[in-house]
Amino acid sequence: LLCSDCENLISTWEKSFCERIFSPLHNDPKYTNPIRYEKWFLKFATSVSFRVLTYFYRINDLSHFSKQQQDLVLTASNTWRDFMLDKISNPRQFEQHFIPVGAISSYSGQTISPHLNRYFLRSIHMDMICSDSTAMVYTKMGHFILFGFIQNNQTRRWKGTKIHVNNGLIIPRSYEIPISIANYWNEKAEEAAVALNSISPKQKDLVNQSILNNPDKFIDSEIFRATQYDIYHSGKRAFKIAE
């Protein structure tokens, strides 16, 4: 997908992201120290959205986008490329947003999927999302979700999520997002549960045997913690897989 020079350029942003954001948030579930980022964070996020967008574009999987949104895809891609190569100073209207996610300790309002904590804590996922007024690249990497906007006519409904150009802080705060994103998370959590349940009986036996052989390790694992939270919120529904 990329030449060696671009791979080397991106690897420096990936290293900073891994060391300063990804690892701290994953190694300590209770990590709340402020994380300061600089220009490398927006560069990294842009490179991720650029690569995911290029992948979906090449496999011709944008048919659900409107004609206007499909026209914006190439503009966004070119803008992100120029920003990464320092040809422009910012990604213009094609912003990058983020949300760090963890286990849900409490919630109010709509019902959540009984598999949502396992989706938040354990899944990796990329997608191209759109509605009548919004189109974006969606990339979930463990406890971290990136949104690369291709079209966004609802900017006022996103608060606390924008990645700034030069520097910023990741701190415990309130994030505001459209309800459609919460609905999307519920839907994808259900799909992930169905996919996991579809593994072969042989693979299930291997997983079960691994747990039996290392019960202490399993109890200390993130999947066990995520399952505990799902059971806490949903009870027996946490074990029921949708057809």
Side-chain angles (χ1 to χ4, degrees):
L1 182 62
L2 300 172
C3 68
S4 58
D5 288 342
C6 288
E7 288 282 7
N8 290 333
L9 180 65
I10 289 174
S11 69
T12 61
W13 309 328
E14 290 175 339
K15 184 174 185 294
S16 295
F17 172 75
C18 180
E19 292 178 348
R20 304 185 191 184
I21 299 178
F22 188 86
S23 291
L25 291 179
H26 283 75
N27 292 340
D28 183 359
K30 298 181 180 180
Y31 191 90
T32 58
N33 293 338
I35 300 175
R36 179 171 295 279
Y37 65 80
E38 298 173 354
K39 291 182 179 180
W40 51 263
F41 185 25
L42 183 56
K43 295 280 190 179
F44 166 77
T46 300
S47 76
V48 172
S49 292
F50 173 82
R51 284 175 280 181
V52 173
L53 175 61
T54 301
Y55 168 76
F56 279 99
Y57 181 79
R58 288 191 175 186
I59 66 173
N60 196 28
D61 195 13
L62 297 174
S63 59
H64 56 302
F65 275 34
S66 68
K67 177 63 168 60
Q68 179 188 11
Q69 291 166 344
Q70 291 189 31
D71 290 341
L72 285 170
V73 162
L74 287 179
T75 306
S77 178
N78 290 334
T79 301
W80 289 340
R81 179 195 61 200
D82 289 345
F83 173 65
M84 288 188 292
L85 296 175
D86 288 327
K87 293 183 179 181
I88 56 176
S89 60
N90 62 74
R92 297 170 181 166
Q93 76 267 33
F94 306 108
E95 298 173 346
Q96 302 293 324
H97 290 237
F98 79 98
I99 294 179
V101 294
I104 300 172
S105 59
S106 64
Y107 70 96
S108 60
Q110 70 182 89
T111 302
I112 64 173
S113 165
H115 310 284
L116 188 58
N117 283 287
R118 279 165 284 183
Y119 174 75
F120 273 168
L121 298 186
R122 298 298 300 162
S123 68
I124 298 172
H125 180 205
M126 62 183 188
D127 200 1
M128 301 294 298
I129 306 175
C130 70
S131 65
D132 292 340
S133 59
T134 304
M136 69 183 78
V137 180
Y138 175 90
T139 312
K140 184 180 182 304
M141 302 171 287
H143 297 190
F144 206 86
I145 302 176
L146 290 173
F147 305 86
F149 282 110
I150 298 170
Q151 178 192 41
N152 185 14
N153 295 330
Q154 300 179 336
T155 53
R156 293 182 179 179
R157 299 177 66 184
W158 292 78
K159 296 182 180 179
T161 60
K162 183 179 178 180
I163 303 176
H164 300 291
V165 175
N166 294 315
N167 57 71
L169 281 176
I170 300 175
I171 56 176
R173 67 172 71 188
S174 295
Y175 295 92
E176 294 186 26
I177 58 173
I179 189 64
S180 58
I181 298 299
N183 293 334
Y184 175 84
W185 285 337
N186 275 327
E187 176 186 332
K188 296 306 171 183
E190 292 296 313
E191 291 180 6
V194 172
L196 182 61
N197 193 55
S198 66
I199 64 175
S200 68
K202 180 179 179 180
Q203 188 62 40
K204 289 180 181 179
D205 288 341
L206 290 173
V207 172
N208 291 334
Q209 191 59 51
S210 176
I211 293 172
L212 292 173
N213 290 340
N214 301 278
D216 292 337
K217 182 178 180 181
F218 175 68
I219 290 173
D220 289 335
S221 69
E222 197 160 63
I223 184 62
F224 183 76
R225 186 168 70 93
T227 303
Q228 281 185 306
Y229 274 96
D230 280 335
I231 295 171
Y232 174 75
H233 292 303
S234 304
K236 293 181 180 180
R237 292 194 307 123
F239 300 103
K240 184 177 180 181
I241 307 299
E243 299 295 337

